[in-house]
Amino acid sequence: CLQKTDAFLHRSIGTDVVVAQAEATRSDESDEKNGRKSLHTLHVERQEQAERSVLISCQTSTNEKKFLKYLTKHGEINKYFFYESYGVYAVVEFANQESVASLLEGVAIPGGSHESAVPFKSRLLSLRNLGSVDSSNQLSGWQCQPQTTIPINELIKRLSREESINKQISSLTEAYQLTEENSRLRFLVCSLLKDIATAYFPECTIKPFGSSVNGFGKLGCDLDMLLDLDSISGRNVKLPKSGLSLEYQMKRANSERAVTQSILSVIGKCIDQFGPGCVGVQKILNARCPLVRFAHQPSGFQCDLTANNRVAMKSTELLYLYGELDPRVRSLVFTVRCWARAHGVTSSIPGAWITNFSLTVMVLFFLQKRSPPIIPTLDHLRDLAGPADKSVIEGNDCTFVSDFNKIQLQSNTETQEQLLGEFFEFYATFPFSRMSLNIRKGKEQNKPEVAPLHIQNPFETSLNVSKNVNASQLDRFVALCQESAWLLQQSETSTPRGGGVGDEGAPTPWGLATLLLPSQVAGIKSRKKRRREPASERIKGLLESLKNKNQLKKS
Ligand code: CTP
Ligand code: MG
């Protein structure tokens, strides 16, 4: 009964939304010719793989051969891998979905005399006592795929061994980006949660968005998920003059937001009570964008589940597109994100800090400002859009081209190293007090409202992406940009140390590695005092103080 009444809730959301997107019919052939997949294709592929996959908790003593032999009884396996997260887990992708059904048919639901389990049959399984420990074939001897990044100290060492700053930037990107396995695991977790949500909304999907799929995600980043009810047949379809339509009068809510809150409240409760491995469930329904936050223990992901958040999906698509246009985009974003985290410019705790999303938009804006520009403006991408790309969400124009082949890039030959140095200089002297960053136009413009940092939201143009940032956080960012710009200009920092080793046998940090070391700009001077000096004076002062410090160290 509960299932039935709640199933009607979804009908009243999104009635004022015009989504003229023929996503499923979109042609992705041209993208793939260049080896570039659209985000849509990637989603379809990965979701389909996830549907055929199971997540199995294993014992470290499990014999891998026996493990595989046992599972192949249910069908052919396409891919599998192991990883560690509070124990060893395996992701197993079968060639056919029937194998998953066959596997689940035979599983036992645990329950003892003191405990009783909710009989929710999920694809999160536990495999025990499959043969004893023998030879080297036990799992502990097998490679577990890393699901987290290397610690910053390790990274600094690794970078210090590289022979150029360009190589350091590539090496950082390589070390931090999501792996194929991690991406599969993210889609699998969405698919497992979808199994819960479909109890209420049988045709819904749960899609990852944000850094899990936009190309800028670092191993260990949170998993942003969108409960997608748009794909339910009959939605956004004009009511016929005659014939059947769903009766939902009783379950209408007075706003789209209220419906989203009500759906997330129910799904959140369900995740809390029945979701295997989901712990610490918090319903944050009064946020601007209501969400359910929890930790998915078997994967180690911190999850944020939202609904009715189509604009965020659009901005994910946009970031993905920019990242695919030129490899320098992703590597600069990774480098800047890592640098910002190392200096506490960004934080995992919400607050007045600059967010990774804001930082990414800042990198994109900077790349649009190069001469010639490395990436086009959003307005240009909108002008290139075809009819299938049209998208208007709650009155906001979210249209932009999806076919990579329509986008002509200008030939900018700047190296990653040059761009990194220029990035720091650009923001070390940017007139933040007067100007707002606008990636739609690729130009700064007068601030429409008072805020220390103003970055126009690319789709909801009346909003400021960095509204949360306070003056002292912006000051810190600017001071660190000045310091890093300066460090990159010093021959001492910007050339390899010829394999020299420091006290503990570690290579002497140089280049990008130096920029990740604790900052020498100690406490930031008071804002008032610094404001009176022009930027060049400030940099001069900074240079002096750094030189003095270096001399002190040498003596
Ligand atoms: N988003 C947005 N507007 C904002 C904040 C976020 O459109 N003001 C969208 C972006 O598409 C963003 C996604 O929501 O990528 C997820 O937000 P968040 O988790 O804060 O950022 P991520 O890009 O996922 O970065 P992180 O790795 O820090 O999670
Ligand atoms: Mg995120």
Side-chain angles (χ1 to χ4, degrees):
C1 170
L2 179 77
Q3 211 168 325
K4 223 172 177 185
T5 47
D6 285 53
F8 292 113
L9 275 174
H10 75 266
R11 279 286 299 162
S12 59
I13 59 168
T15 41
D16 63 335
V17 178
V18 186
V19 184
Q21 246 181 303
E23 291 241 293
T25 57
R26 209 186 256 181
S27 164
D28 289 318
E29 283 168 24
S30 50
D31 304 339
E32 277 164 39
K33 257 191 254 158
N34 286 340
R36 286 187 296 205
K37 277 179 194 162
S38 74
L39 188 57
H40 174 67
T41 308
L42 189 103
H43 260 123
V44 171
E45 271 181 24
R46 287 267 188 255
Q47 268 171 13
E48 204 262 327
Q49 287 168 346
E51 290 289 291
R52 289 185 269 111
S53 303
V54 292
L55 186 53
I56 304 180
S57 160
C58 306
Q59 287 175 318
T60 44
S61 59
T62 307
N63 177 300
E64 186 174 6
K65 267 191 194 150
K66 285 185 183 164
F67 172 82
L68 289 176
K69 198 172 159 207
Y70 182 85
L71 292 174
T72 41
K73 275 194 271 176
H74 297 278
E76 188 190 333
I77 293 172
N78 265 4
K79 185 176 165 86
Y80 69 95
F81 62 89
F82 299 99
Y83 68 90
E84 272 186 273
S85 164
Y86 308 101
V88 176
Y89 285 86
V91 171
V92 179
E93 180 199 313
F94 285 98
N96 299 297
Q97 213 171 340
E98 295 80 65
S99 307
V100 176
S102 154
L103 192 75
L104 287 182
E105 240 169 61
V107 300
I109 298 172
S113 47
H114 304 299
E115 283 183 329
S116 195
V118 174
F120 173 70
K121 267 197 174 180
S122 83
R123 284 177 284 141
L124 173 58
L125 307 162
S126 190
L127 194 60
R128 287 195 178 84
N129 303 330
L130 256 200
S132 56
V133 185
D134 57 6
S135 68
S136 59
N137 222 1
Q138 65 187 46
L139 283 184
S140 49
W142 291 81
Q143 208 196 341
C144 277
Q145 296 294 327
Q147 306 302 325
T148 49
T149 48
I150 53 172
I152 186 85
N153 289 346
E154 278 298 308
L155 180 72
I156 289 173
K157 276 189 218 159
R158 189 183 289 190
L159 299 186
S160 304
R161 286 189 203 104
E162 298 291 349
E163 60 203 29
S164 68
I165 294 186
N166 284 331
K167 285 202 175 144
Q168 290 185 323
I169 294 173
S170 306
S171 174
L172 182 147
T173 310
E174 195 67 32
Y176 268 28
Q177 67 192 353
L178 300 186
T179 58
E180 157 83 19
E181 287 77 17
N182 191 265
S183 171
R184 280 172 188 260
L185 185 56
R186 285 170 189 270
F187 275 88
L188 176 53
V189 171
C190 288
S191 175
L192 296 179
L193 286 158
K194 182 220 66 177
D195 288 350
I196 297 175
T198 49
Y200 287 93
F201 306 102
E203 292 172 86
C204 77
T205 53
I206 290 190
K207 292 178 175 164
F209 72 99
S211 60
S212 294
V213 284
N214 66 15
F216 302 123
K218 160 187 159 190
L219 277 174
C221 68
D222 68 354
L223 172 57
D224 301 296
M225 292 180 280
L226 173 74
L227 171 67
D228 185 8
L229 302 169
D230 284 334
S231 45
I232 294 177
S233 51
R235 269 181 69 82
N236 301 316
V237 172
K238 254 191 161 181
L239 269 188
K241 285 208 176 90
S242 62
L244 284 173
S245 69
L246 280 186
E247 177 55 65
Y248 65 97
Q249 257 172 346
M250 311 246 309
K251 293 295 171 192
R252 247 188 247 229
N254 54 11
S255 75
E256 193 161 349
R257 179 179 166 82
V259 175
T260 303
Q261 288 169 327
S262 141
I263 291 171
L264 283 177
S265 173
V266 169
I267 302 285
K269 186 152 197 207
C270 214
I271 290 174
D272 194 15
Q273 304 207 333
F274 307 142
C278 300
V279 297
V281 180
Q282 279 175 278
K283 292 194 237 170
I284 309 170
L285 302 179
N286 287 324
R288 191 180 79 81
C289 182
L291 69 125
V292 177
R293 176 165 288 171
F294 56 95
H296 185 259
Q297 241 174 15
S299 62
F301 295 141
Q302 183 63 39
C303 303
D304 277 350
L305 176 67
T306 59
N308 187 25
N309 194 6
R310 302 172 191 89
V311 180
M313 194 48 110
K314 270 291 163 190
S315 62
T316 300
E317 261 181 65
L318 180 69
L319 260 48
Y320 175 84
L321 181 95
Y322 274 129
E324 289 290 293
L325 286 181
D326 187 300
R328 289 171 294 181
V329 180
R330 285 185 70 237
S331 58
L332 190 58
V333 171
F334 270 103
T335 309
V336 171
R337 279 189 175 204
C338 174
W339 166 87
R341 191 73 181 84
H343 294 295
V345 167
T346 52
S347 165
S348 56
I349 312 159
W353 293 274
I354 297 178
T355 62
N356 274 330
F357 181 60
S358 297
L359 211 51
T360 307
V361 179
M362 288 173 99
V363 174
L364 297 178
F365 180 75
F366 160 75
L367 293 172
Q368 288 175 335
K369 294 280 290 181
R370 302 309 300 151
S371 180
I374 292 181
I375 50 170
T377 64
L378 177 51
D379 273 352
H380 182 69
L381 295 178
R382 182 206 51 211
D383 296 343
L384 295 174
D389 297 320
K390 190 164 170 49
S391 168
V392 180
I393 301 170
E394 287 154 17
N396 298 302
D397 186 5
C398 299
T399 306
F400 61 90
V401 65
S402 61
D403 180 354
F404 290 107
N405 295 315
K406 286 193 192 162
I407 308 168
Q408 293 288 322
L409 297 177
Q410 304 199 42
S411 62
N412 176 309
T413 55
E414 285 172 292
T415 63
Q416 292 171 325
E417 174 180 352
Q418 283 167 326
L419 289 172
L420 185 64
E422 297 281 340
F423 172 88
F424 291 129
E425 271 187 40
F426 183 81
Y427 285 113
T429 52
F430 189 84
F432 286 112
S433 59
R434 288 183 294 116
M435 305 306 249
S436 158
L437 280 69
N438 180 342
I439 61 160
R440 193 159 262 288
K441 306 251 174 276
K443 277 198 191 115
E444 54 268 43
Q445 59 187 29
N446 288 330
K447 270 191 200 175
E449 64 193 35
V450 190
L453 176 60
H454 197 284
I455 303 174
Q456 191 190 62
N457 187 310
F459 296 118
E460 294 166 290
T461 52
S462 63
L463 301 180
N464 173 12
V465 166
S466 51
K467 198 176 168 194
N468 62 313
V469 177
N470 67 18
S472 65
Q473 287 304 321
L474 178 64
D475 281 356
R476 252 181 72 70
F477 171 75
V478 172
L480 285 160
C481 283
Q482 290 168 352
E483 183 191 42
S484 294
W486 177 78
L487 282 170
L488 283 178
Q489 283 161 16
Q490 306 310 301
S491 56
E492 213 182 290
T493 328
S494 61
T495 44
R497 299 286 168 91
V501 286
D503 302 341
E504 285 152 26
T508 314
W510 77 277
L512 177 55
T514 322
L515 304 194
L516 303 179
L517 293 172
S519 162
Q520 302 193 39
V521 190
I524 302 299
K525 283 183 261 171
S526 95
R527 185 175 162 73
K528 266 189 202 155
K529 199 172 157 204
R530 287 205 301 110
R531 260 195 169 171
R532 272 186 249 119
E533 309 163 26
S536 56
E537 284 303 311
R538 266 188 275 147
I539 294 178
K540 235 196 260 165
L542 181 78
L543 301 191
E544 283 310 317
S545 75
L546 287 175
K547 274 180 199 156
N548 291 342
K549 262 189 196 155
N550 284 346
Q551 269 158 11
L552 271 178
K553 259 201 235 159
K554 278 180 203 155
S555 61

